[in-house]
């Protein structure tokens, strides 16, 4: 049994009815759809047969066109077609309907809607929390830029990510390509164990005095020569930080990993019984972790996601 869609798709002066696959009838204005879509412009511009000379279904004097999309998808893409004063654009932040809306947009030549879906898939707010879902949807839709961008964000996750429903949208080969990319990035960032990038940035000890035990500092220097700079031992909490970060980068080779670990280090040092480091650590580690994260991102940017589009 057919049911009527909600406002604004129940207008008494609408001039056509679109019926969804699940039997919901949308009373819409052909003008709005024609302006939004060349497909609808062509469809509604076709010559109409005389009354009684066609098997076109009619209801309340309006032609009824059955579409294959369900009512949820139809409602979403019609809202994109309507003026914002009549219908707000639906939110795509939860990604649940992104693929079906994208398919409808391509089917009906709604380029503007396709662009909006693509924008949602590379929205940093969404990528930061749902990178694997964005990757799977983008890959399934063969969106190159969106797939590569989402793959970069998955580096914040462990090598073997948590399962999500959208994982069924991609093939085993796609998943293997993503895991291979992740592993290559993990291996590549190991080159940062060579601290020349630190020396190049600070030039000398005077450029990063906070890294060296001095004055009333009670933190002490480490004797692990892997962490020596200019043949001098560095402060112990920085060594602990670097050890932690390089271990984490094996699984999550991302600049975000570097910054998050720095935040934990700042809290640890502030709680320490030292007269020097707690007052300086936030500013110094913010600057250093940004440098470190930048180097990680530069290396990761050079690694290619090996996938055909």
């Amino acid at each position: 049994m057919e049911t009527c869609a909600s406002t604004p798709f129940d207008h008494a002066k609408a001039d056509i009815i679109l019926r969804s696959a699940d039997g919901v009838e949308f009373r819409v204005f052909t003008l709005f759809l024609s302006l939004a879509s060349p497909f609808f412009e062509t469809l509604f511009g076709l010559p109409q047969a005389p009354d009684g000379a066609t098997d076109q279904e009619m209801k309340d004097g309006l032609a009824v066109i059955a579409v294959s999309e369900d009512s949820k998808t139809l409602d979403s893409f019609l809202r994109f077609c309507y003026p914002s004063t009549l219908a707000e654009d639906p939110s795509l932040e939860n990604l649940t309907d992104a693929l079906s809306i994208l398919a409808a947009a391509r089917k009906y030549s709604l380029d503007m809607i396709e662009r909006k879906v693509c924008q949602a898939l590379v929205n940093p707010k969404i990528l930061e929390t749902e990178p694997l879902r964005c990757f799977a949807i983008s890959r399934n839709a063969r969106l190159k830029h969106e797939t590569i961008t989402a793959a970069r964000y998955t580096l914040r996750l462990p090598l073997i990510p948590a399962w999500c429903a959208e994982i069924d949208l991609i093939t085993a080969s796609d998943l293997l390509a993503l895991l291979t990319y992740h592993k290559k990035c993990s291996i590549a960032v190991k080159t940062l164990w060579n601290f020349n990038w630190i020396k190049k940035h600070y030039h000398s000890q005077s450029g990063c005095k906070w890294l060296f035990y001095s004055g009333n500092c009670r933190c002490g220097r480490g004797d692990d020569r892997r962490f020596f700079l200019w043949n001098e031992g560095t402060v112990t909490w920085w060594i602990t930080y670097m050890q932690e970060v390089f271990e984490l980068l094996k699984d999550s080779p991302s600049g975000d990993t570097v910054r998050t670990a720095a935040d934990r280090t700042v809290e640890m040092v502030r709680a320490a019984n030292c007269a020097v480091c707690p007052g300086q650590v936030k500013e110094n580690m913010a600057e250093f972790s940004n440098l470190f994260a930048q180097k990680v991102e530069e290396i990761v940017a050079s690694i290619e996601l090996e996938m055909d589009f």
Side-chain angles (χ1 to χ4, degrees), residues 50 90 203 223 228 232:
H203 303 296
D223 56 5
F228 275 34
E232 293 286 343

Side-chain angles (χ1 to χ4, degrees), residues 27-304:
R27 294 172 178 259
V28 296
F29 292 90
T30 56
L31 174 62
F32 296 152
L33 272 60
S34 296
L35 291 174
S37 162
F39 175 92
F40 285 121
E41 182 180 22
T42 300
L43 177 65
F44 298 144
L46 294 174
Q48 300 298 309
D51 291 344
T54 177
D55 57 1
Q56 171 67 58
E57 180 181 355
M58 304 294 291
K59 183 172 183 178
D60 300 332
L62 304 180
V64 178
I65 298 178
V67 298
S68 59
E69 289 72 30
D70 62 27
S71 56
K72 190 174 183 181
T73 301
L74 190 56
D75 182 274
S76 293
F77 87 71
L78 286 176
R79 289 181 184 277
F80 280 118
C81 296
Y82 265 49
S84 58
T85 53
L86 297 178
E88 292 185 4
D89 287 354
S91 172
L92 295 172
E93 289 190 3
N94 64 13
L95 298 179
T96 303
D97 306 312
L99 198 59
S100 59
I101 294 173
L102 180 62
R106 288 175 167 176
K107 175 181 176 181
Y108 297 112
S109 303
L110 293 159
D111 295 341
M112 174 270 295
I113 299 178
E114 183 171 354
R115 287 195 299 271
K116 285 184 177 291
V117 174
C118 291
Q119 288 168 5
L121 291 170
V122 292
N123 182 340
K125 180 180 177 181
I126 300 175
L127 281 169
E128 287 171 5
T129 57
E130 305 283 3
L132 187 57
R133 293 181 68 201
C134 289
F135 172 83
I137 293 170
S138 300
R139 176 54 182 166
N140 181 275
R142 294 301 186 266
L143 298 169
K144 183 175 182 179
H145 169 69
E146 290 75 11
T147 300
I148 293 173
T149 302
R152 179 79 61 82
Y153 271 81
T154 65
L155 297 176
R156 302 179 179 205
L157 304 176
L159 176 60
I160 306 299
W163 182 87
C164 67
E166 286 77 9
I167 204 72
D168 291 335
L169 295 174
I170 61 176
T171 66
S173 296
D174 294 333
L175 182 57
L176 179 60
L178 180 64
L179 297 179
T180 301
Y181 167 73
H182 197 120
K183 188 64 176 179
K184 285 183 176 180
C185 290
S186 298
I187 293 171
V189 298
K190 288 181 180 180
T191 59
L192 293 174
W193 266 108
N194 181 329
F195 292 157
N196 286 337
W197 56 277
I198 299 178
K199 297 176 183 178
K200 182 177 180 180
H201 180 78
Y202 290 108
H203 303 296
S204 67
Q205 288 187 41
S206 61
C208 52
K209 293 179 180 178
W210 56 274
L211 278 174
F212 303 92
Y213 173 86
S214 62
N216 295 322
C217 176
R218 299 179 181 179
C219 297
R221 293 192 193 186
D223 56 5
D224 188 335
R225 297 195 65 84
R226 293 178 302 166
F227 298 95
F228 275 34
L229 294 171
W230 297 284
N231 295 317
E232 293 286 343
T234 49
V235 70
T236 54
W237 57 260
W238 181 77
I239 293 176
T240 300
Y241 164 74
M242 295 297 281
Q243 290 172 325
E244 177 190 3
V245 169
F246 278 111
E247 189 63 31
L248 292 171
L249 287 173
K250 293 178 182 179
D251 208 29
S252 304
S254 163
D256 185 66
T257 300
V258 173
R259 295 188 181 95
T260 301
D263 291 340
R264 291 193 296 270
T265 296
V266 168
E267 295 303 314
M268 178 192 73
V269 174
R270 281 180 162 178
N273 184 25
C274 176
V276 178
C277 295
Q280 305 174 358
V281 66
K282 183 176 182 179
E283 179 180 356
N284 291 329
M285 282 301 292
E287 193 270 342
F288 177 76
S289 63
N290 282 334
L291 170 66
F292 195 174
Q294 179 185 344
K295 295 301 178 183
V296 170
E297 297 297 346
E298 287 174 358
I299 290 174
V300 166
S302 68
I303 306 301
E304 182 179 358

